[in-house]
C-alpha cells in the first residue's frame, strides 16, 4: 500500500497540474452555467424583438409600396454606415485628436469598445505594432500600480494595528516605526490579511463605480443601472461597446467632463485589476483546499507520515524561536538558498518551495513587515538557477506582498 501511494504521488499529475485541471474544469462549468442563465434570460427577448422587426418590415413594405429586397438592400447600406461610425444624430468626430486619443486609450487598456476602428490598411497594420507595445506597457503599469496599492494598504493597516495595540496597552506609547521591530513580540507575527485587502479594494471599487455612475447619469442621460453596467464593463476591460461615454457632439463643461471621464476610467481599471488579482489568490486557496480534500488517502499510515513530514518542513512564524530560542531577524535579507533553508532547519531549497507553491510564511512576513515599515526591499529569493523561480506577473506580486491564507490561519 505504501509503494502504491508513493507511485501515485510521483505521477505526472502533481499539485500544480491538479490545480490547473481543477480550475479548467471549474471554469468550463462556470461558462456552461453562465451560458444557460443568459440563454434563459435573453433568448425570449431576442425572439420577441425579431418577431416585432419582421412585422415592422412587412407593414413598412406594404404601406409605402417598397419591395422587400429593395428594403433589405437599403438596410444593409445603413448597417455599413453605422459600422463606419455614421449616425442619424450629430456625433463628435471619431478621428480628431481627442477622439483618436480616446481610441488608443481603449486599445492599450484592452477595453476595445469597437465604436471606432481603423478603416485603412495602413491604420490596421499600425494598430498591430502599436497595440503590441502599448498593451505590454499598460499591463506593466497595472502591475506596478498593484504593487504600490498593496504597499500603501499594508502601511495603513500596520499603522491601524499599532494604534490598536497602543490603546490596549500592549505597545509602548513611545514606540516609533523603524525601530527594532523584532523586540516587540506582538508585531513580529503580524501580517496583513488577504481578505481585509480584498474588502478594502472591493469597497473602493464600489465607491468609485457609484461616483462615476452618478456622473454618467447626469451628463449622458442614462439611467443609474445602465451607468453601473457601463462602469463594470469598462473597468473590467470587457468593453462590449453598447454604451460608450463622451460620444455626443457637445456637452456642458465638455473639457471638465472629458477629464473626469478619463480619470474615472483610469482609476477604475487599475482598481478592478488589483481586485481581480486579490480574488484570484482566494480562488487559488479554495483550489488548494479542494485538492487537499481529494488527495491520496489509500494508506492511512503513509498519509499520517506525509502529514507529519509536511508539518516538520513547514515554516511558520515563531518556529525558529521555539527550536533554537533565537529571535527572528527582521532586518536581514535572505540572499541565498542556504539562508532560506536555515529558516526551517531542513535541506530543502527555496526554489523547490516556490515551485510547489509552499511559499515560506516567514519570508512573506518579513517582506510585509518591510513594506509596512518602509524598509528597503531587496531580492529575497535566489534566482541564479531560474529567473522565473519566484513567479512572474500580478500573481507573483500578490504572493510576495500578501501571505497566502494557510491552514493555520
Amino acid at each position: 500500500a505504501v509503494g502504491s501511494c508513493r507511485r501515485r504521488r510521483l505521477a505526472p499529475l502533481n499539485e500544480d497540474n491538479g490545480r490547473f485541471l481543477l480550475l479548467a474544469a471549474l471554469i468550463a462549468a462556470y461558462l456552461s452555467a453562465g451560458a444557460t442563465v443568459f440563454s434563459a434570460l435573453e433568448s425570449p427577448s431576442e425572439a420577441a424583438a425579431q418577431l416585432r422587426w419582421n412585422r415592422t418590415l412587412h407593414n413598412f413594405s406594404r404601406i409605402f409600396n417598397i419591395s422587400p429586397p429593395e428594403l433589405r438592400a437599403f438596410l444593409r447600406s445603413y448597417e455599413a454606415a453605422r459600422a463606419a461610425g455614421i449616425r442619424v444624430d450629430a456625433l463628435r468626430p471619431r478621428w480628431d485628436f481627442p477622439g483618436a486619443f480616446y481610441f488608443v486609450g481603449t486599445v492599450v487598456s484592452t477595453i476595445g469598445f469597437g465604436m471606432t476602428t481603423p478603416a485603412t490598411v495602413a491604420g490596421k497594420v499600425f494598430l498591430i505594432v502599436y497595440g503590441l507595445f502599448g498593451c505590454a506597457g499598460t499591463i506593466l503599469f497595472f502591475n506596478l500600480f498593484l504593487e504600490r496599492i498593496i504597499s500603501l494598504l499594508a502601511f495603513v493597516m500596520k499603522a491601524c494595528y499599532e494604534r490598536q495595540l497602543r490603546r490596549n496597552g500592549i505597545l509602548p506609547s513611545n514606540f516609533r516605526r523603524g525601530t527594532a521591530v523584532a523586540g516587540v513580540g506582538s508585531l513580529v507575527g503580524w501580517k496583513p490579511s488577504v481578505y481585509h485587502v480584498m474588502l478594502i479594494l472591493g469597497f473602493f471599487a464600489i465607491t468609485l463605480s457609484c461616483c462615476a455612475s452618478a456622473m454618467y447619469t447626469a451628463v449622458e442621460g442614462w439611467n443609474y443601472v445602465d451607468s453601473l453596467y457601463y462602469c463594470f464593463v469598462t473597468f473590467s476591460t470587457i468593453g462590449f461597446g453598447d454604451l460608450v461615454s463622451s460620444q455626443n457632439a457637445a456637452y456642458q463643461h465638455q473639457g471638465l467632463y472629458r477629464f473626469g471621464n478619463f480619470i474615472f476610467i483610469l482609476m477604475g481599471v487599475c482598481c478592478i485589476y488589483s481586485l481581480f488579482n486579490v480574488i484570484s489568490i482566494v480562488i487559488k486557496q479554495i483550489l488548494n483546499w479542494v485538492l487537499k480534500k481529494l488527495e491520496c488517502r489509500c494508506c492511512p499510515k503513509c498519509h499520517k507520515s506525509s502529514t507529519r513530514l509536511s508539518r516538520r518542513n513547514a515554516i511558520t512564524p515563531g518556529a525558529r524561536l521555539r527550536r533554537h530560542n533565537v529571535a527572528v531577524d527582521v532586518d536581514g535579507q535572505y540572499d541565498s538558498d542556504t539562508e532560506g533553508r536555515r529558516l526551517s532547519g531542513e535541506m530543502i531549497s527555496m526554489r523547490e518551495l516556490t515551485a510547489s507553491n509552499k511559499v515560506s510564511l516567514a519570508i512573506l512576513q518579513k517582506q510585509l513587515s518591510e513594506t509596512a515599515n518602509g524598509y528597503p526591499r531587496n531580492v529575497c529569493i535566489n534566482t541564479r538557477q531560474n529567473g522565473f523561480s519566484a513567479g512572474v506577473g500580478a500573481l507573483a506580486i500578490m504572493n510576495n506582498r500578501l501571505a497566502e491564507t494557510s491552514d493555520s490561519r
Side-chain angles (χ1 to χ4, degrees):
V2 176
S4 175
C5 185
R6 287 178 178 175
R7 284 193 298 271
R8 186 176 297 185
R9 288 182 180 277
L10 293 176
L13 188 62
N14 55 21
E15 182 182 357
D16 292 334
N17 293 333
R19 182 166 49 242
F20 174 77
L21 293 177
L22 179 60
L23 181 60
L26 291 177
I27 289 177
Y30 192 77
L31 292 175
S32 300
T36 301
V37 172
F38 281 112
S39 178
L41 292 176
E42 301 295 336
S43 181
S45 176
E46 180 186 29
Q50 184 65 44
L51 184 62
R52 290 193 302 269
W53 176 245
N54 291 335
R55 188 182 300 113
T56 301
L57 283 179
H58 176 74
N59 294 335
F60 188 89
S61 176
R62 179 177 54 83
I63 294 173
F64 294 96
N65 195 22
I66 301 176
S67 64
E70 291 177 347
L71 181 57
R72 288 190 174 88
F74 173 77
L75 293 176
R76 290 191 189 96
S77 299
Y78 169 76
E79 290 178 351
R82 185 177 181 84
I86 300 173
R87 299 293 187 273
V88 176
D89 297 327
L91 295 177
R92 55 166 296 172
R94 293 298 178 90
W95 291 108
D96 61 350
F97 183 80
F101 187 84
Y102 193 81
F103 167 73
V104 296
T106 62
V107 169
V108 299
S109 62
T110 71
I111 295 176
F113 286 125
M115 80 288 185
T116 305
T117 56
T120 63
V121 175
K124 294 177 181 179
V125 173
F126 178 73
L127 176 64
I128 296 174
V129 179
Y130 184 83
L132 179 65
F133 294 96
C135 293
T138 305
I139 291 175
L140 176 61
F141 174 80
F142 289 160
N143 287 332
L144 295 178
F145 179 88
L146 171 65
E147 181 179 359
R148 276 144 186 79
I149 193 66
I150 294 300
S151 301
L152 176 63
L153 291 178
F155 179 82
V156 173
M157 294 170 69
K158 182 67 174 292
C160 295
Y161 183 70
E162 291 177 0
R163 184 178 180 183
Q164 182 181 2
L165 292 181
R166 288 191 182 95
R167 287 182 176 180
N168 297 334
I170 301 176
L171 194 66
S173 58
N174 57 355
F175 173 80
R176 294 182 179 179
R177 190 174 295 110
T179 57
V181 181
V184 183
S186 57
L187 293 179
V188 171
W190 181 89
K191 52 184 175 292
S193 170
V194 175
Y195 302 110
H196 292 167
V197 173
M198 182 176 66
L199 290 176
I200 294 173
L201 286 176
F203 175 78
F204 184 73
I206 292 174
T207 303
L208 189 66
S209 299
C210 291
C211 295
S213 298
M215 182 187 72
Y216 293 131
T217 300
V219 178
E220 297 288 349
W222 304 334
N223 61 59
Y224 196 76
V225 175
D226 286 342
S227 298
L228 282 175
Y229 163 80
Y230 168 78
C231 288
F232 175 77
V233 170
T234 301
F235 296 168
S236 60
T237 70
I238 295 175
F240 289 125
D242 49 347
L243 290 176
V244 182
S245 63
S246 189
Q247 295 302 300
N248 294 337
Y251 294 93
Q252 283 187 338
H253 310 291
Q254 181 166 296
L256 183 62
Y257 171 62
R258 286 180 177 177
F259 177 75
N261 184 41
F262 173 78
I263 294 298
F264 272 122
I265 291 179
L266 176 64
M267 295 302 298
V269 172
C270 291
C271 184
I272 293 295
Y273 176 85
S274 302
L275 179 62
F276 283 168
N277 283 284
V278 176
I279 294 176
S280 69
I281 294 291
V282 178
I283 294 176
K284 182 181 177 183
Q285 293 308 310
I286 295 175
L287 294 176
N288 292 338
W289 178 81
V290 173
L291 288 176
K292 185 176 180 180
K293 295 298 181 181
L294 298 177
E295 70 180 356
C296 174
R297 298 180 181 274
C298 61
C299 178
K301 181 178 179 181
C302 180
H303 177 69
K304 182 177 180 181
S305 175
S306 64
T307 303
R308 184 170 61 252
L309 181 60
S310 64
R311 288 178 180 174
R312 186 182 63 180
N313 284 339
I315 302 176
T316 57
R320 188 168 174 83
L321 276 170
R322 292 192 298 269
R323 291 180 183 177
H324 305 288
N325 294 325
V326 178
V328 178
D329 183 15
V330 178
D331 295 329
Q333 296 290 340
Y334 304 104
D335 292 328
S336 66
D337 285 345
T338 305
E339 296 183 13
R341 294 189 194 103
R342 286 202 293 266
L343 281 172
S344 61
E346 300 293 334
M347 294 303 295
I348 180 169
S349 66
M350 286 303 301
R351 183 169 178 265
E352 293 171 345
L353 286 173
T354 307
S356 61
N357 273 318
K358 304 297 183 182
V359 182
S360 167
L361 294 181
I363 291 182
L364 289 172
Q365 174 185 321
K366 183 189 79 60
Q367 291 176 339
L368 287 168
S369 177
E370 290 176 351
T371 300
N373 290 280
Y375 293 161
R377 300 187 303 271
N378 295 326
V379 178
C380 298
I381 298 177
N382 183 29
T383 57
R384 289 176 300 176
Q385 297 178 356
N386 184 1
F388 299 99
S389 60
V392 178
L395 189 59
I397 293 175
M398 296 301 302
N399 286 336
N400 291 332
R401 296 294 176 192
L402 295 174
E404 295 187 22
T405 306
S406 62
D407 298 332
S408 62
R409 288 197 53 155

